[in-house]
Amino acid sequence: MIRNKEAASWVEEMTALCKPDKVVWIDGSEQERQRLTEEALGTCELLPLDEQKLPGCVYHRTAENDVARTEHLTFICCRNEEDAGPTNNWMDPQEAYSKVGAMFDGSMRGRTMYVVPFIMGTAGSPFRKIGIELTDSIYVVLNMRIMTRMGDIAMNDLGENEEFTKCLHSKGELDINRRYILHFPEDNTIWSYGSGYGGNVLLGKKCLSLRIASYMGLHEGWMAEHMLIVGIQSPDGEITYIAAAFPSACGKTNLAMLIPPDSMPGYKVWTVGDDIAWIRIGPDGRLWAVNPEAGFFGVAPGTSMKTNPNAMLTASRNSIFTNVLLGSDGTVWWEGMGVEPPAEGIDWRGNPWTPQSGEKGSNPNARFTAPASQCPVISPEWENPQGVPLSAILFGGRRAKLAPLVYESFDWSHGTFVGATMASETTAAATGAVGVVRRDPMAMLPFCGYNMSKYFRHWLDMGPKITNPPKIFNVNWFKKDDDGKYLWPGYGDNLRALDWVIRRCKGTAQAQETPIGFVPTKDSLNLDGLDISDDAIEKLLEIDPDAWVEELGSMQKFFDQFGYDLPEEFMEQQQELNKRLGRWKR
Ligand code: GTP
Ligand code: SPV
Ligand code: MN
């Protein structure tokens, strides 16, 4: 018996549209997981892995043209085009429903439609959102089982008259020319057709928890952000919570579960979330952040027992591996895993592979899906419905030049400007060129469900309401020397920058005031036990005023597209920065 009438009639309507042979309601039980896994192994939608070495794990390969988010096929479908803004693709809702409705028509013939009720957040929380995803992919069902709280728990949590996000997904023909990821914020609806890749099809993640949720947050007075959440325990036992927005494949998962270097004894890191933060103002005037997800959909390449042992351990059982190398011994392998590859295997394209074949074994955007509860350093607070209080927000990206290792903004408005003027080199997480610097405000460029100028306005408007605001910083682990080598060791040593951040929050760390913000003095960073040259540290902390003046030009170009909608404060921030740079040069 489905108590929510809207849910019952919508499922009926979508069944009539997609015409599946069978409709199966997902309950989230262990028996169900086993049954679906067996079925998918039978059809080779999933491939088995060695049960001894990787208990409860399975392998999946997506189509070769379907290995990353497709931003050019992702649309915001709202009535007025201006409401989508200049940085989003827009389609008229009526046109979208009819054009892609024709694709969904009969798309599930010969297939089963799975009805997947899910919660983003924890059951019963006043801040959680409920969705129901209809999908014809067992891979999607099993991923949603890890990434969300799903099945009966969600159906029971959904009240009789309560709203839920209507999520419809069909793999369709997996033809890139018939692929659409559509968001209807005004209807609380998502339609995804023609893909089988993570961010395009796990509709609770980027589609609901960022694009739709950012729109909800605008209207309900909170924020949905592409941020990790981490607690840093200092040697005195105090835990400071930090949220950080980095673009896709720029180090959120790694920072969220870093292992302190040996030379920093007494520090401990607690993971709250690795990709998405929902942030509200608490009764104490601070910002409180929750992780709406239940799992990690992490980048595999570059993840090793050296760089991120906590991720390796999290994904050592009950996990799904996508587009990595499948060893003929039933193990998985990827570039940068830090172990010898198997003597032979099948690569991410499905071709026979050996270490000598000269081809990449895994796709650069190959992923693991793993339950957050298995993370060795998962925070005891990670499921607290109130979330954790933020002392600092970090922005950051991949910048070979320009941005120093870390700097602090002057205040909330300036910090918002720092976030809005972020830029980063593109990665394999989305299709298109890799390594090109693009502006990516708050790491939300691909994920903001409405006009980004209004999103900036929302950030600025939150400021005065947060009586006890977090400090806002910018970080860059990816600065390179003239030979193209990283200047900073990164990973666990990033704790040294976080340690400075925390001491700035407490008012105990030295800094130099520069035109862009407060930059650490050389001796204010804890570099104990780190093998790094003075020269490298100098380069990491250097501010080149000429390069920043050039950067102002690039910011201006990006902002120009918003016309008069751009918050006035940003014009002022640019002018002030320009003036400070002029004074600094003289
Ligand atoms: P999404 O899941 O796409 O949102 O990505 P993410 O931001 O969680 O990125 P992730 O932590 O998975 O890192 C992506 C890639 O960057 C991996 O290959 C990492 O090994 C690499 N990486 C992460 N942190 C660092 C760092 O501090 N320095 C360097 N050089 N590389 C890093
Ligand atoms: C990202 O691309 O930022 C991800 C992976 O976290 S996906 O779920 O595909 O969006
Ligand atoms: Mn992400």
Side-chain angles (χ1 to χ4, degrees):
M1 233 319 262
I2 317 159
R3 279 177 295 138
N4 191 296
K5 284 208 188 84
E6 178 79 13
S9 69
W10 171 69
V11 172
E12 212 171 287
E13 196 189 325
M14 292 303 111
T15 305
L17 175 66
C18 301
K19 304 176 180 63
D21 283 11
K22 225 166 62 174
V23 177
V24 172
W25 282 75
I26 292 299
D27 63 22
S29 67
E30 175 56 26
Q31 300 90 292
E32 180 184 74
R33 185 190 70 80
Q34 286 175 18
R35 182 167 51 73
L36 291 175
T37 304
E38 262 158 48
E39 189 181 330
L41 289 170
T43 60
C44 293
E45 182 180 352
L46 295 176
L47 298 173
L49 291 169
D50 186 302
E51 192 51 39
Q52 242 66 54
K53 292 177 190 140
L54 291 163
C57 296
V58 288
Y59 179 93
H60 178 74
R61 196 180 287 123
T62 62
E64 209 174 313
N65 71 4
D66 191 26
V67 294
R69 284 180 295 102
T70 39
E71 294 177 2
H72 63 295
L73 304 175
T74 301
F75 289 79
I76 303 298
C77 310
C78 46
R79 282 187 298 272
N80 296 320
E81 184 168 4
E82 305 90 84
D83 292 340
T87 59
N88 279 314
N89 301 309
W90 175 81
M91 209 189 289
D92 173 75
Q94 285 319 315
E95 183 196 335
Y97 283 131
S98 91
K99 179 172 178 172
V100 180
M103 296 181 184
F104 274 111
D105 191 352
S107 65
M108 297 189 190
R109 265 197 198 102
R111 301 180 186 173
T112 300
M113 174 196 271
Y114 298 95
V115 182
V116 186
F118 63 95
I119 310 171
M120 300 316 297
T122 51
S125 157
F127 308 132
R128 56 94 175 95
K129 298 286 178 194
I130 294 176
I132 302 180
E133 177 162 352
L134 310 179
T135 177
D136 53 8
S137 157
I138 293 181
Y139 171 74
V140 168
V141 178
L142 294 176
N143 270 274
M144 289 293 283
R145 193 173 189 281
I146 297 173
M147 296 306 295
T148 72
R149 294 154 181 100
M150 60 87 103
D152 286 349
I153 188 175
M155 243 13 236
N156 292 335
D157 203 19
L158 181 64
E160 239 165 274
N161 300 308
E162 198 164 341
E163 277 246 3
F164 62 97
T165 306
K166 300 177 172 111
C167 308
L168 176 63
H169 166 247
S170 174
K171 290 181 285 193
E173 308 87 345
L174 297 175
D175 174 355
I176 194 157
N177 297 310
R178 282 167 59 81
R179 179 175 302 160
Y180 286 98
I181 322 299
L182 307 176
H183 305 73
F184 303 85
E186 291 151 354
D187 302 342
N188 200 2
T189 294
I190 302 162
W191 277 17
S192 165
Y193 188 85
S195 173
Y197 167 74
N200 288 340
V201 300
L202 309 179
L203 300 184
K205 197 174 175 60
K206 294 304 179 6
C207 301
L208 194 164
S209 293
L210 288 179
R211 296 196 190 95
I212 295 289
S214 63
Y215 175 86
M216 292 173 165
L218 172 71
H219 295 278
E220 297 169 7
W222 54 280
M223 306 158 96
E225 300 296 335
H226 192 199
M227 290 181 183
L228 68 93
I229 311 166
V230 67
I232 311 288
Q233 185 173 328
S234 321
D236 64 5
E238 195 182 336
I239 300 177
T240 306
Y241 292 98
I242 297 175
F246 309 154
S248 302
C250 289
K252 288 183 301 300
T253 303
N254 278 269
L255 193 70
M257 49 190 83
L258 72 77
I259 296 210
D262 291 340
S263 48
M264 291 180 77
Y267 284 86
K268 197 162 169 20
V269 168
W270 299 102
T271 309
V272 180
D274 84 324
D275 198 47
I276 296 174
W278 285 357
I279 305 177
R280 279 161 222 278
I281 304 173
D284 57 358
R286 289 196 288 178
L287 284 183
W288 290 73
V290 302
N291 167 16
E293 301 191 280
F296 308 133
F297 185 61
V299 177
T303 306
S304 70
M305 280 311 276
K306 199 162 154 246
T307 59
N308 193 349
N310 284 322
M312 294 296 283
L313 295 170
T314 307
S316 63
R317 57 204 155 90
N318 308 320
S319 297
I320 302 171
F321 295 93
T322 304
N323 296 336
V324 300
L325 177 87
L326 174 62
S328 54
D329 54 354
T331 60
V332 291
W333 185 85
W334 49 80
E335 281 69 20
M337 194 185 196
V339 297
E340 285 298 307
E344 53 176 20
I346 311 283
D347 70 15
W348 66 275
R349 289 190 164 93
N351 297 326
W353 182 94
T354 68
Q356 292 75 39
S357 66
E359 297 285 331
K360 279 211 152 92
S362 70
N363 181 276
N365 191 40
R367 300 257 167 181
F368 57 81
T369 319
S373 59
Q374 290 182 182
C375 177
V377 296
I378 195 75
S379 163
E381 298 298 323
W382 86 283
E383 296 191 283
N384 185 333
Q386 302 301 326
V388 295
L390 298 179
S391 297
I393 289 178
L394 315 186
F395 294 115
R398 289 178 185 263
R399 293 302 298 264
K401 299 270 174 259
L402 195 78
L405 178 68
V406 53
Y407 66 97
E408 179 193 338
S409 66
F410 297 118
D411 54 31
W412 179 269
S413 288
H414 179 239
T416 299
F417 174 73
V418 167
T421 54
M422 260 171 70
S424 188
E425 291 147 24
T426 50
T427 65
T431 54
V434 169
V436 182
V437 175
R438 76 161 177 185
R439 307 224 75 89
D440 186 353
M442 284 84 168
M444 281 289 279
L445 183 75
F447 307 120
C448 185
Y450 59 98
N451 191 321
M452 223 162 186
S453 67
K454 270 205 182 155
Y455 169 84
F456 297 147
R457 184 75 264 154
H458 184 41
W459 262 83
L460 290 165
D461 289 347
M462 289 291 281
K465 297 183 196 148
I466 314 165
T467 49
N468 197 350
K471 282 181 180 285
I472 300 180
F473 297 80
N474 193 86
V475 299
N476 179 21
W477 320 136
F478 300 94
K479 210 170 182 186
K480 288 181 176 169
D481 64 15
D482 295 336
D483 300 331
K485 283 213 292 288
Y486 288 121
L487 286 159
W488 182 247
Y491 301 105
D493 285 305
N494 292 336
L495 181 60
R496 299 174 191 279
L498 300 189
D499 169 62
W500 184 82
V501 162
I502 293 167
R503 284 186 289 114
R504 283 302 289 174
C505 294
K506 293 184 177 159
T508 61
Q510 291 288 311
Q512 186 198 7
E513 186 171 344
T514 78
I516 64 163
F518 296 105
V519 176
T521 55
K522 231 164 89 180
D523 45 13
S524 66
L525 285 172
N526 179 349
L527 300 175
D528 293 350
L530 182 64
D531 184 19
I532 190 166
S533 70
D534 272 3
D535 186 48
I537 289 295
E538 249 156 55
K539 286 208 175 93
L540 282 163
L541 300 178
E542 176 183 74
I543 310 295
D544 175 353
D546 294 329
W548 277 96
V549 169
E550 213 178 294
E551 183 76 355
L552 265 171
S554 153
M555 292 174 188
Q556 183 60 53
K557 227 160 110 196
F558 179 76
F559 282 156
D560 274 349
Q561 61 187 320
F562 298 103
Y564 291 113
D565 291 338
L566 188 76
E568 234 170 79
E569 288 91 327
F570 283 5
M571 308 299 279
E572 287 158 24
Q573 290 287 351
Q574 286 181 91
Q575 284 159 10
E576 291 303 313
L577 174 55
N578 198 16
K579 274 194 236 162
R580 290 193 301 264
L581 286 165
R583 285 200 296 269
W584 177 263
K585 271 206 268 192
R586 266 184 268 122

